[in-house]
Every structure is written in structure tokens, then in C-alpha cells.
């Protein structure tokens, strides 16, 4: 009970009113968190959890400047750690964004390369098809020329009726007497 009374007295000294009792919400009247902790440890509702002696409370109050400095350093360190963690998280997010952008660019590059390869393959097929068409045209012109000039010319003999000539007879005549420009 002596420790409890010392805690109440300390509270009253801090608020500047010796008639004010400790009531729920008393913590709001004490700005210094270390003094709040000292008073709370002295006036704890469970006697087993109160400070062990008046000397322990006196030592805590004597060491208040050192405890404040340690708390300030701890808060500063905590702030620095939080700032470092936030900076690391921001850097990590930037790296992830960079990786995502790089992945997107790689996908776009692969699509472009595949498109280029497809275009080249299709162009090559078109060139081959054009060459085949040119060859087919040349063959068709040669066949047409052969039929128009050579075969028909063989059927046009002077004074002879060639309308009833069979294909076999016409072929035999061409073999026997080939046209001049076909040889």
C-alpha cells in the first residue's frame, strides 16, 4: 500500500493537484510516457504486479533523464528502421515494376520476331508461288504456241481436206515432218 500511495502522490505532483484522486482515464493528464509508466507500475490494481519497493520507484525517477535519452534513441532507431524498411519496400516495388515492364517488353519482342519470321516465310512462299506461276505461264504460252502454230499449221496443207484428220494421223505427220522452230 505504501508503493500505491507513492504512485498516487507522484500522480498528484505531476498534475499539480494534491486533492485529485486516481480515477479511470488518469493517464490523459500525464504527457510524459515514462512518468505514466512509473505511476502505472506503482498504482497497479494487482499488488503483485506493483513496483517492489520505494527505492525502485526512486531509482526510476532519478534515472528519468537517462531513460528519456534511451527512449529518444530507441524511437529514433525505430523511425530509422521504419524509414529504411519503407525505402527497401519502395525499391522492391520499383524492381518488381521494372521486371514487369521488362517481361512485357520481352513478350512484345517475341511477338514482333514471330511476326517478322511469319512475314518472311509468307513472302518466300509468295516469291516461290510467283515463280511457279511465271513458269506455268511460260509453259502455257509454249503449249498454246505449239498448238496454234505448229499443230494447226500441219493441218493446213494446200488442197487437202484436213478436217477429218485424227489425232494419231496428226502426231505421225508432226513426227515425220517436225515444225522448224520446235526442234
Amino acid at each position: 500500500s505504501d508503493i500505491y500511495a507513492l504512485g498516487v502522490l507522484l500522480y498528484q505532483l505531476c498534475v499539480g493537484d494534491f486533492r485529485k484522486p486516481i480515477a479511470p482515464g488518469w493517464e490523459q493528464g500525464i504527457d510524459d510516457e515514462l512518468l505514466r509508466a512509473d505511476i502505472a507500475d506503482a498504482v497497479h490494481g494487482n499488488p503483485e504486479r506493483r513496483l517492489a519497493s520505494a527505492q525502485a520507484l526512486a531509482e526510476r525517477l532519478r534515472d528519468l533523464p537517462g531513460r528519456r535519452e534511451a527512449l529518444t534513441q530507441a524511437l529514433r532507431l525505430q523511425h530509422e528502421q521504419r524509414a529504411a524498411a519503407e525505402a527497401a519496400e519502395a525499391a522492391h516495388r520499383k524492381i518488381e515494376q521494372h521486371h514487369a515492364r521488362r517481361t512485357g517488353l520481352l513478350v512484345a519482342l517475341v511477338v514482333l520476331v514471330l511476326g517478322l519470321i511469319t512475314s518472311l516465310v509468307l513472302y518466300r512462299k509468295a516469291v516461290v508461288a510467283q515463280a511457279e506461276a511465271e513458269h506455268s505461264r511460260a509453259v502455257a504460252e509454249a503449249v498454246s504456241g505449239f498448238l496454234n502454230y505448229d499443230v494447226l499449221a500441219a493441218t493446213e496443207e494446200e488442197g487437202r481436206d484436213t478436217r477429218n484428220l485424227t489425232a494419231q494421223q496428226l502426231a505421225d505427220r508432226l513426227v515425220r515432218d517436225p515444225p522448224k522452230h520446235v526442234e
Side-chain angles (χ1 to χ4, degrees):
S1 64
D2 290 341
I3 303 301
Y4 185 87
L6 279 175
V8 171
L9 185 61
L10 179 59
Y11 167 71
Q12 292 171 341
L13 280 170
C14 289
V15 294
D17 185 356
F18 286 106
R19 290 176 300 181
K20 189 167 187 172
I22 291 223
W26 65 266
E27 296 90 354
Q28 296 173 3
I30 309 295
D31 292 334
D32 188 323
E33 67 182 286
L34 293 175
L35 282 174
R36 263 196 318 265
D38 292 342
I39 294 169
D41 288 344
V43 297
H44 199 283
N46 183 353
E48 294 174 3
R49 298 192 65 195
R50 287 186 197 144
L51 289 174
S53 66
Q55 182 179 351
L57 179 60
E59 287 175 4
R60 287 175 84 168
L61 292 175
R62 270 189 229 115
D63 194 30
L64 197 57
R67 290 172 50 214
R68 282 186 181 134
E69 180 63 31
L71 179 63
T72 301
Q73 288 178 0
L75 290 175
R76 187 178 317 124
L77 179 63
Q78 186 180 33
H79 176 72
E80 289 170 358
Q81 288 173 344
R82 189 178 315 122
E86 289 172 0
E89 180 63 29
H92 182 68
R93 278 193 306 271
K94 281 186 178 185
I95 289 171
E96 285 180 350
Q97 289 172 349
H98 176 72
H99 286 296
R101 257 188 248 123
R102 186 173 66 180
T103 301
L105 288 174
L106 285 175
V107 167
L109 180 63
V110 167
V111 168
L112 286 174
V113 167
L114 289 176
L116 179 63
I117 290 171
T118 302
S119 297
L120 290 174
V121 166
L122 292 175
Y123 175 75
R124 178 70 179 135
K125 284 183 178 182
V127 167
V128 168
Q130 184 180 11
E132 288 174 357
E134 286 291 323
H135 177 70
S136 295
R137 185 188 58 75
V139 168
E141 284 180 359
V143 169
S144 176
F146 173 74
L147 290 174
N148 284 333
Y149 298 111
D150 297 334
V151 173
L152 290 177
T155 61
E156 296 177 358
E157 292 183 8
E158 290 184 30
R160 208 162 160 217
D161 187 14
T162 57
R163 282 182 282 169
N164 294 328
L165 214 81
T166 65
Q168 181 64 43
Q169 292 170 338
L170 185 60
D172 289 342
R173 190 178 285 174
L174 286 172
V175 167
R176 219 180 3 195
D177 188 21
K180 308 263 186 280
H181 72 279
V182 174
E183 300 174 11

